[in-house]
Amino acid sequence: MRATTTRRGLAVGAAFALLLGLGACSGGSGADDLGQAAEETATDEPTQEPTDTGPSTPVTCDDPVASYAPLEALPAPDALPSGSTMAQIRERGTLVVGVSADTLLLGSRNPFTGAIEGFDIDMLHEISRAIFGDPDRLQFRVITSGQRLQVLESGEVDLVARAFTITCERWESIAFSAEYYHAGQKVLVAEGSEAQGLEDLAGQRVCAPAGTTTLTRLEEYPEVEAVPAPTHSQCLALFQQGQVDAITGDDTILAGFAAQDPYAVVVGEPISDEPYGIGVPAANTDMVQFVNTVLAQIVADGTWVEIYQRWLGEPLGPAPEPPVPVYGRTA
Amino acid sequence: MTSTAPASAQQATPPQQPAGQVALQPPAPVAQQQQRPPATSAQRIMQISVVTVVVALLVAALGFVLALNQAAGLDRAGARADRVLTVMAVRSAVLDADGAATNAFLVGGLEPQPRRVVYDEAIAAAAAGLAELAEGADADAELIANLNADLTRYTSLVEAARVNNRQGFPVGAAYLDQASTLVREEMLADLDAVLSMAADDAASDFGVGNLSYVVVLVVVVALVVLIVCQVRLAAMTRRRLNPGLALATVLLVVAFAAGAMGARSSAETAAAVRTEDYRPTLAVAQASVLAAEARTLESFTLIKRGSGAAFEEAFVERTEAAAALLEEQGGDLPELLQTWLDRHAEIRELDDSGDWDGAVALAVTDDESGPSAAYTQLVEAAAAEIGAGSQDVTNELSDAVTQARLAAWVLLITGIVAAIACWRGLAARREEYR
């Protein structure tokens, strides 16, 4: 009898243990309550624009600034050569242009009016005027420096005017107009800094936008810690937050920064030549010729100086001689 | 059973001569144990008494603990369901703030007052939510501390953007970009981690509700023991029924049936709350979070003038997911979402046709028929539904908790009463054999 009691006790215990175990089972996880386990919506960050760093071996050519010869005379807007790229654009009704919206003086959005304006933008207005007889037929596409080649290669835009330095490497995939502005790379530091150039900034953090000739040149100073940012303005934000010690960039762009921040100064002599050209899809040589004709005309009639004075006269001093266009490229 | 019981009790001395037997017995058990001699009747009666009392008490204790445990679990489930919804609310608030800040940026230098109000309220809500989360923080304490720090960083970045915007400095856009990136890449990820922890905790507590089968089994085992004891006793004493044990049996059957049913219905209530209130509320909260994300993306499609395609893709992805969630729940939310999407389509149409200014004007208008108003309506309706759902969860779970507590006490008291009944019922038999 004692033995049976023990056995029964064991059996009961086992049953209890089993059922306690069963009772402890829960009905579904937290992910079930949330509807799905795969709720992690793919955070494909749209802000992270692709940046083209380009091939590492420098591409050489005889003369990067040499563009296609201009037309003999600028056709009237209503007499554009039929079948030409310009005629097609006129047909479409707008000139689609890739620009910056945050590079003060060259191309930036005026927060008060919402309009995008600057030296580069005015160049585009002149081209719009030549095609449509109306300077305002521009459809802006705001792009980062890193997107400049890509939007031209894919034909998404007709032109890019965004502090775009003419280089041999870029000629490999797109075409440029003749040089319309001659910039040079300088350095922006905090007021009171002793540095006069990149050579004085060993061991310091220097910001430059990704996908630019500026960043490439910065890499020639291995003792400087290069910090890439998606846009020029991001560099200024980082500088103001103390996350970088200096910014390097074209004097035009840095002038725009100094205008936004009284504690930032641009120092030293230019360490490079940055010939700006208007980017055009490689196939549209007729468009390049047309743009060159427009540029030659605005230099000749004084419009170029007028535009320079409007945007760059104050921060950079009186207008220099406009760059002398070089032609002679053959397709 | 009745046929075997007498056999095992055949050596029992007839109860007619109890006095002599009892007098002889006291030293016997120790001596007899080694040779496994039959126990005396007095010993058996004593054993039966003890076994029945112990079983009744065990059942009382076990039932009490199990049911109380269930009540505690459901109580926690309620608190944790609240926590899940609080995480959702913080997520929505942060996104609303960001949506308002980015949308205001479209307007230009001086942001419109209504946007500023939305932003301020959203930040206050996010801060309050984080404070609430910090209180119950456990494994996620560090994440919540991070979130607090990030919220401070976020507001200071937005202030920097604002100050620069007011002066017309484009660097303001860079600050806004940093702020938005902070929300999307860091804060949302941290909030997702906190959310999945909270959801898992709530899920495991909802599961605690289902102990009714254990209670039923306990009762069945106890009844078997009681019946076996009665059968033995009947065989020994030749009496059919012991009133004490019978009473105990009936008590256990009735009260435990009631107790088990209580526990079961409590568990069923909890399960129903989970599927009928908690999950739908979570779905609406998720949809609302997705919509808030999409709202920011809507502004970005315009801020990244002409380069908004990637943002529009993300917008469509978020809103389709939100639509799917709301469709399941019914109500007027799907319709409100559709209204907003229709207005959004008008913005895209304008922008895609090259009329960026027109698109921005439509995006920022506070006009009744504008997209902002449609979005606000959607968000407010969703918030009302989430609030009501969360209230339902709390109320119904507290009902379930009450049921489980009641069951616990019924089981405890019944068990004790049954134990007393057993003891007292056998008192006369013990006397007889003494």
Side-chain angles (χ1 to χ4, degrees), chain B residues 340-363:
Chain B
W340 176 44
L341 293 184
D342 291 345
R343 306 272 161 79
H344 169 82
E346 289 169 23
I347 299 182
R348 291 319 312 153
E349 207 174 298
L350 284 172
D351 188 31
D352 290 344
S353 69
D355 185 4
W356 186 81
D357 295 304
V360 169
L362 182 59

mmCIF file of all heavy atoms in Angstrom, chain B residues 340-363:
data_model
loop_
_atom_site.group_PDB
_atom_site.id
_atom_site.type_symbol
_atom_site.label_atom_id
_atom_site.label_comp_id
_atom_site.label_asym_id
_atom_site.label_seq_id
_atom_site.Cartn_x
_atom_site.Cartn_y
_atom_site.Cartn_z
ATOM 1 N N TRP B 340 -6.153 61.595 -47.935
ATOM 2 C CA TRP B 340 -4.818 62.209 -47.875
ATOM 3 C C TRP B 340 -3.994 61.808 -49.093
ATOM 4 O O TRP B 340 -3.327 62.627 -49.719
ATOM 5 C CB TRP B 340 -4.111 61.803 -46.580
ATOM 6 C CG TRP B 340 -2.710 62.310 -46.497
ATOM 7 C CD1 TRP B 340 -2.276 63.566 -46.830
ATOM 8 C CD2 TRP B 340 -1.549 61.583 -46.090
ATOM 9 N NE1 TRP B 340 -0.922 63.658 -46.639
ATOM 10 C CE2 TRP B 340 -0.452 62.460 -46.192
ATOM 11 C CE3 TRP B 340 -1.339 60.279 -45.637
ATOM 12 C CZ2 TRP B 340 0.843 62.073 -45.851
ATOM 13 C CZ3 TRP B 340 -0.055 59.894 -45.297
ATOM 14 C CH2 TRP B 340 1.023 60.784 -45.404
ATOM 15 N N LEU B 341 -4.050 60.514 -49.454
ATOM 16 C CA LEU B 341 -3.269 60.030 -50.594
ATOM 17 C C LEU B 341 -3.713 60.718 -51.884
ATOM 18 O O LEU B 341 -2.887 61.031 -52.745
ATOM 19 C CB LEU B 341 -3.402 58.511 -50.728
ATOM 20 C CG LEU B 341 -2.761 57.703 -49.598
ATOM 21 C CD1 LEU B 341 -2.865 56.211 -49.869
ATOM 22 C CD2 LEU B 341 -1.303 58.098 -49.424
ATOM 23 N N ASP B 342 -5.014 60.975 -52.002
ATOM 24 C CA ASP B 342 -5.510 61.677 -53.196
ATOM 25 C C ASP B 342 -4.926 63.078 -53.271
ATOM 26 O O ASP B 342 -4.487 63.542 -54.320
ATOM 27 C CB ASP B 342 -7.040 61.749 -53.181
ATOM 28 C CG ASP B 342 -7.668 60.375 -53.373
ATOM 29 O OD1 ASP B 342 -6.926 59.455 -53.790
ATOM 30 O OD2 ASP B 342 -8.864 60.209 -53.083
ATOM 31 N N ARG B 343 -4.909 63.752 -52.091
ATOM 32 C CA ARG B 343 -4.353 65.118 -52.065
ATOM 33 C C ARG B 343 -2.862 65.081 -52.357
ATOM 34 O O ARG B 343 -2.322 65.932 -53.056
ATOM 35 C CB ARG B 343 -4.583 65.760 -50.699
ATOM 36 C CG ARG B 343 -6.016 65.746 -50.239
ATOM 37 C CD ARG B 343 -6.781 66.961 -50.723
ATOM 38 N NE ARG B 343 -8.221 66.747 -50.674
ATOM 39 C CZ ARG B 343 -8.948 66.828 -49.575
ATOM 40 N NH1 ARG B 343 -8.380 67.167 -48.436
ATOM 41 N NH2 ARG B 343 -10.231 66.594 -49.594
ATOM 42 N N HIS B 344 -2.218 64.056 -51.821
ATOM 43 C CA HIS B 344 -0.782 63.901 -52.069
ATOM 44 C C HIS B 344 -0.541 63.713 -53.567
ATOM 45 O O HIS B 344 0.403 64.265 -54.132
ATOM 46 C CB HIS B 344 -0.236 62.704 -51.296
ATOM 47 C CG HIS B 344 1.157 62.321 -51.685
ATOM 48 N ND1 HIS B 344 2.269 62.966 -51.187
ATOM 49 C CD2 HIS B 344 1.630 61.389 -52.557
ATOM 50 C CE1 HIS B 344 3.347 62.437 -51.724
ATOM 51 N NE2 HIS B 344 2.993 61.483 -52.567
ATOM 52 N N ALA B 345 -1.407 62.942 -54.207
ATOM 53 C CA ALA B 345 -1.261 62.703 -55.648
ATOM 54 C C ALA B 345 -1.327 64.029 -56.411
ATOM 55 O O ALA B 345 -0.615 64.209 -57.407
ATOM 56 C CB ALA B 345 -2.344 61.750 -56.129
ATOM 57 N N GLU B 346 -2.144 64.955 -55.922
ATOM 58 C CA GLU B 346 -2.232 66.263 -56.582
ATOM 59 C C GLU B 346 -0.890 66.997 -56.489
ATOM 60 O O GLU B 346 -0.453 67.632 -57.448
ATOM 61 C CB GLU B 346 -3.330 67.117 -55.935
ATOM 62 C CG GLU B 346 -4.743 66.619 -56.242
ATOM 63 C CD GLU B 346 -5.796 67.304 -55.369
ATOM 64 O OE1 GLU B 346 -5.525 68.423 -54.862
ATOM 65 O OE2 GLU B 346 -6.865 66.707 -55.178
ATOM 66 N N ILE B 347 -0.248 66.901 -55.318
ATOM 67 C CA ILE B 347 1.080 67.525 -55.168
ATOM 68 C C ILE B 347 2.046 66.931 -56.184
ATOM 69 O O ILE B 347 2.747 67.636 -56.892
ATOM 70 C CB ILE B 347 1.658 67.282 -53.746
ATOM 71 C CG1 ILE B 347 0.763 67.882 -52.687
ATOM 72 C CG2 ILE B 347 3.071 67.850 -53.653
ATOM 73 C CD1 ILE B 347 1.313 67.711 -51.276
ATOM 74 N N ARG B 348 2.057 65.600 -56.252
ATOM 75 C CA ARG B 348 2.991 64.931 -57.156
ATOM 76 C C ARG B 348 2.717 65.331 -58.596
ATOM 77 O O ARG B 348 3.626 65.529 -59.387
ATOM 78 C CB ARG B 348 2.885 63.405 -57.026
ATOM 79 C CG ARG B 348 3.385 62.791 -55.732
ATOM 80 C CD ARG B 348 4.657 63.370 -55.208
ATOM 81 N NE ARG B 348 5.713 63.501 -56.187
ATOM 82 C CZ ARG B 348 6.680 64.401 -56.119
ATOM 83 N NH1 ARG B 348 6.720 65.261 -55.131
ATOM 84 N NH2 ARG B 348 7.601 64.463 -57.025
ATOM 85 N N GLU B 349 1.439 65.426 -58.930
ATOM 86 C CA GLU B 349 1.060 65.766 -60.295
ATOM 87 C C GLU B 349 1.625 67.140 -60.662
ATOM 88 O O GLU B 349 2.226 67.310 -61.727
ATOM 89 C CB GLU B 349 -0.464 65.784 -60.385
ATOM 90 C CG GLU B 349 -1.006 65.473 -61.757
ATOM 91 C CD GLU B 349 -2.519 65.360 -61.711
ATOM 92 O OE1 GLU B 349 -3.017 64.449 -60.993
ATOM 93 O OE2 GLU B 349 -3.183 66.190 -62.316
ATOM 94 N N LEU B 350 1.453 68.093 -59.744
ATOM 95 C CA LEU B 350 1.961 69.445 -60.002
ATOM 96 C C LEU B 350 3.482 69.424 -60.146
ATOM 97 O O LEU B 350 4.038 69.978 -61.093
ATOM 98 C CB LEU B 350 1.570 70.383 -58.858
ATOM 99 C CG LEU B 350 0.116 70.846 -58.836
ATOM 100 C CD1 LEU B 350 -0.175 71.598 -57.546
ATOM 101 C CD2 LEU B 350 -0.164 71.740 -60.045
ATOM 102 N N ASP B 351 4.137 68.741 -59.202
ATOM 103 C CA ASP B 351 5.598 68.726 -59.209
ATOM 104 C C ASP B 351 6.120 68.026 -60.460
ATOM 105 O O ASP B 351 7.030 68.503 -61.125
ATOM 106 C CB ASP B 351 6.114 68.030 -57.940
ATOM 107 C CG ASP B 351 7.621 68.164 -57.796
ATOM 108 O OD1 ASP B 351 8.170 69.187 -58.254
ATOM 109 O OD2 ASP B 351 8.256 67.258 -57.227
ATOM 110 N N ASP B 352 5.499 66.889 -60.790
ATOM 111 C CA ASP B 352 5.971 66.128 -61.945
ATOM 112 C C ASP B 352 5.767 66.886 -63.247
ATOM 113 O O ASP B 352 6.503 66.695 -64.208
ATOM 114 C CB ASP B 352 5.268 64.767 -62.007
ATOM 115 C CG ASP B 352 5.737 63.853 -60.882
ATOM 116 O OD1 ASP B 352 6.797 64.162 -60.280
ATOM 117 O OD2 ASP B 352 5.051 62.858 -60.584
ATOM 118 N N SER B 353 4.760 67.756 -63.266
ATOM 119 C CA SER B 353 4.540 68.520 -64.496
ATOM 120 C C SER B 353 5.420 69.770 -64.514
ATOM 121 O O SER B 353 5.297 70.612 -65.397
ATOM 122 C CB SER B 353 3.072 68.909 -64.610
ATOM 123 O OG SER B 353 2.755 69.853 -63.615
ATOM 124 N N GLY B 354 6.298 69.882 -63.528
ATOM 125 C CA GLY B 354 7.251 70.992 -63.531
ATOM 126 C C GLY B 354 6.818 72.187 -62.709
ATOM 127 O O GLY B 354 7.562 73.158 -62.575
ATOM 128 N N ASP B 355 5.599 72.133 -62.158
ATOM 129 C CA ASP B 355 5.118 73.277 -61.376
ATOM 130 C C ASP B 355 5.487 73.072 -59.907
ATOM 131 O O ASP B 355 4.637 72.795 -59.063
ATOM 132 C CB ASP B 355 3.606 73.418 -61.541
ATOM 133 C CG ASP B 355 3.070 74.676 -60.853
ATOM 134 O OD1 ASP B 355 3.890 75.459 -60.315
ATOM 135 O OD2 ASP B 355 1.845 74.861 -60.850
ATOM 136 N N TRP B 356 6.765 73.254 -59.616
ATOM 137 C CA TRP B 356 7.246 73.016 -58.245
ATOM 138 C C TRP B 356 6.604 73.999 -57.278
ATOM 139 O O TRP B 356 6.181 73.632 -56.179
ATOM 140 C CB TRP B 356 8.765 73.155 -58.214
ATOM 141 C CG TRP B 356 9.382 72.805 -56.902
ATOM 142 C CD1 TRP B 356 9.653 71.556 -56.448
ATOM 143 C CD2 TRP B 356 9.797 73.713 -55.886
ATOM 144 N NE1 TRP B 356 10.221 71.623 -55.206
ATOM 145 C CE2 TRP B 356 10.320 72.939 -54.826
ATOM 146 C CE3 TRP B 356 9.791 75.103 -55.750
ATOM 147 C CZ2 TRP B 356 10.828 73.502 -53.665
ATOM 148 C CZ3 TRP B 356 10.292 75.664 -54.586
ATOM 149 C CH2 TRP B 356 10.799 74.870 -53.567
ATOM 150 N N ASP B 357 6.530 75.257 -57.702
ATOM 151 C CA ASP B 357 5.958 76.276 -56.814
ATOM 152 C C ASP B 357 4.519 75.942 -56.451
ATOM 153 O O ASP B 357 4.110 76.077 -55.304
ATOM 154 C CB ASP B 357 6.031 77.649 -57.484
ATOM 155 C CG ASP B 357 7.478 78.085 -57.672
ATOM 156 O OD1 ASP B 357 8.205 78.138 -56.671
ATOM 157 O OD2 ASP B 357 7.879 78.337 -58.826
ATOM 158 N N GLY B 358 3.765 75.497 -57.472
ATOM 159 C CA GLY B 358 2.373 75.122 -57.221
ATOM 160 C C GLY B 358 2.307 73.948 -56.258
ATOM 161 O O GLY B 358 1.467 73.899 -55.350
ATOM 162 N N ALA B 359 3.208 72.980 -56.447
ATOM 163 C CA ALA B 359 3.229 71.798 -55.590
ATOM 164 C C ALA B 359 3.523 72.194 -54.149
ATOM 165 O O ALA B 359 2.882 71.718 -53.210
ATOM 166 C CB ALA B 359 4.281 70.812 -56.097
ATOM 167 N N VAL B 360 4.501 73.098 -53.972
ATOM 168 C CA VAL B 360 4.850 73.529 -52.615
ATOM 169 C C VAL B 360 3.675 74.278 -51.994
ATOM 170 O O VAL B 360 3.310 74.033 -50.834
ATOM 171 C CB VAL B 360 6.104 74.436 -52.643
ATOM 172 C CG1 VAL B 360 6.305 75.107 -51.298
ATOM 173 C CG2 VAL B 360 7.327 73.606 -53.003
ATOM 174 N N ALA B 361 3.062 75.146 -52.784
ATOM 175 C CA ALA B 361 1.942 75.913 -52.257
ATOM 176 C C ALA B 361 0.856 74.970 -51.750
ATOM 177 O O ALA B 361 0.284 75.175 -50.673
ATOM 178 C CB ALA B 361 1.390 76.840 -53.342
ATOM 179 N N LEU B 362 0.606 73.893 -52.512
ATOM 180 C CA LEU B 362 -0.416 72.938 -52.111
ATOM 181 C C LEU B 362 0.036 72.164 -50.868
ATOM 182 O O LEU B 362 -0.753 71.895 -49.959
ATOM 183 C CB LEU B 362 -0.693 71.966 -53.266
ATOM 184 C CG LEU B 362 -1.789 70.924 -53.025
ATOM 185 C CD1 LEU B 362 -3.114 71.600 -52.709
ATOM 186 C CD2 LEU B 362 -1.931 70.016 -54.233
ATOM 187 N N ALA B 363 1.318 71.837 -50.819
ATOM 188 C CA ALA B 363 1.831 71.036 -49.705
ATOM 189 C C ALA B 363 1.777 71.794 -48.377
ATOM 190 O O ALA B 363 1.583 71.198 -47.329
ATOM 191 C CB ALA B 363 3.258 70.591 -49.987
#
